[in-house]
Amino acid sequence: MARKEDKQPQYLPLVVKARLHTGGRDYEKIKEELKGQGFTCKQMKGMVREGNYFDGIVLYLSKWNWDNHESWHLYNWDDKDDKEVMLGIYEAEQYHPQAPYRYRDNFEKFQKDWISGEYDPGMTFTFKDSEVEVLEVLQEEVDNIDHEAVKRQVAAAEDAQYQKRRKQRQRRKQASKGSRYHRKFF
C-alpha cells in the first residue's frame, strides 16, 4: 500500500524566477495593438503606466496547462518589490471589467485593502512570453493527470445531465397529456 507521502501530486505548474520587460510601449503602440477592443484612451494610458511599474522587476511566475501554456501568471514577488507590484496592479484595476464597482480612481481604498490583505484581484494577472526573461526554473511542471480518463468523466457527466433533462421533458410531456384542458382548435 502506498504511503500518503509517496503519492505524487497530480499537477504542479512550471514556476520560474523571471525579470519582466514590460516598459517601452507607448500610448500609440498600445492603441494600435488593442484597436477595436473597446478600451478608452484613459485605460490605454493606464496600461502604459502599468507596464512601466512592472518593467525590470524580478517576479515569480507560473505557466499552467489549463490555458495551454499561453501566458505567464503572476505567482509571487519579494517584499522589496511590493510597492511597485501594488502600483502596477492598481493601474491594471483601472481597466478591470468590474473597475467601476471596485477601485477606479480610488487609490486610497485600493491601498487600504492591499495593506490589510483584503485585496482580491478577481482575475489572473498575466504576461506575454515576449515580456518575460526567465532567470531560474524553481519548479518543473508535473502532469500526472490521465487526460483520457478526464475526457471520459466529462463526457459521462454531460451525458448524465442530458439524460436528466430528457427525463424531465418526458415527465412534463406526460403531465400535460393528463391535463383537463384540451386544445379545441388544431
Side-chain angles (χ1 to χ4, degrees):
M1 177 179 244
R3 295 183 315 190
K4 188 174 184 177
E5 47 284 339
D6 292 339
K7 188 175 179 182
Q8 292 291 322
Q10 285 216 305
Y11 184 80
L12 293 173
L14 170 66
V15 178
V16 299
K17 186 175 186 179
R19 182 178 316 281
L20 295 180
H21 300 285
T22 55
R25 292 184 349 175
D26 63 354
Y27 170 74
E28 292 300 323
K29 189 173 182 181
I30 289 177
K31 183 178 177 181
E32 188 60 36
E33 286 176 24
L34 302 175
K35 188 175 185 175
Q37 293 188 26
F39 289 105
T40 66
C41 295
K42 185 176 179 181
Q43 290 171 330
M44 288 186 272
K45 288 176 183 175
M47 290 175 199
V48 171
R49 288 190 301 272
E50 169 200 339
N52 291 336
Y53 282 123
F54 280 112
D55 192 41
I57 295 180
V58 175
L59 300 173
Y60 302 96
L61 306 174
S62 61
K63 258 198 181 183
W64 297 76
N65 70 356
W66 58 264
D67 73 344
N68 297 320
H69 305 98
E70 289 180 6
S71 55
W72 289 99
H73 302 256
L74 180 58
Y75 193 74
N76 207 344
W77 56 90
D78 293 327
D79 289 339
K80 66 180 177 59
D81 297 318
D82 193 59
K83 183 177 180 181
E84 288 80 16
V85 172
M86 178 187 70
L87 294 171
I89 290 178
Y90 173 74
E91 292 299 338
E93 279 290 341
Q94 303 310 297
Y95 61 89
H96 188 284
Q98 302 298 323
Y101 312 108
R102 295 169 47 101
Y103 301 106
R104 182 169 288 160
D105 298 326
N106 193 348
F107 181 72
E108 290 76 27
K109 181 179 186 316
F110 175 82
Q111 187 175 29
K112 179 180 156 262
D113 287 352
W114 183 274
I115 291 170
S116 69
E118 294 178 23
Y119 173 72
D120 178 11
M123 63 180 173
T124 303
F125 206 85
T126 61
F127 300 96
K128 300 174 194 164
D129 285 335
S130 61
E131 299 172 330
V132 174
E133 173 192 349
V134 175
L135 303 173
E136 179 183 357
V137 175
L138 302 174
Q139 173 181 290
E140 292 288 342
E141 183 177 32
V142 175
D143 190 354
N144 294 323
I145 297 172
D146 182 357
H147 295 282
E148 291 304 315
V150 170
K151 286 179 186 177
R152 288 191 299 272
Q153 289 174 341
V154 168
E158 288 172 347
D159 186 53
Q161 284 293 99
Y162 171 76
Q163 295 300 333
K164 180 180 174 183
R165 287 191 309 269
R166 191 173 134 274
K167 287 177 184 178
Q168 287 173 342
R169 285 192 303 268
Q170 286 177 337
R171 278 193 296 262
R172 276 183 271 171
K173 189 175 181 180
Q174 290 298 325
S176 67
K177 284 185 179 179
S179 175
R180 60 188 173 139
Y181 301 105
H182 299 282
R183 294 173 66 182
K184 292 184 180 183
F185 305 104
F186 291 73

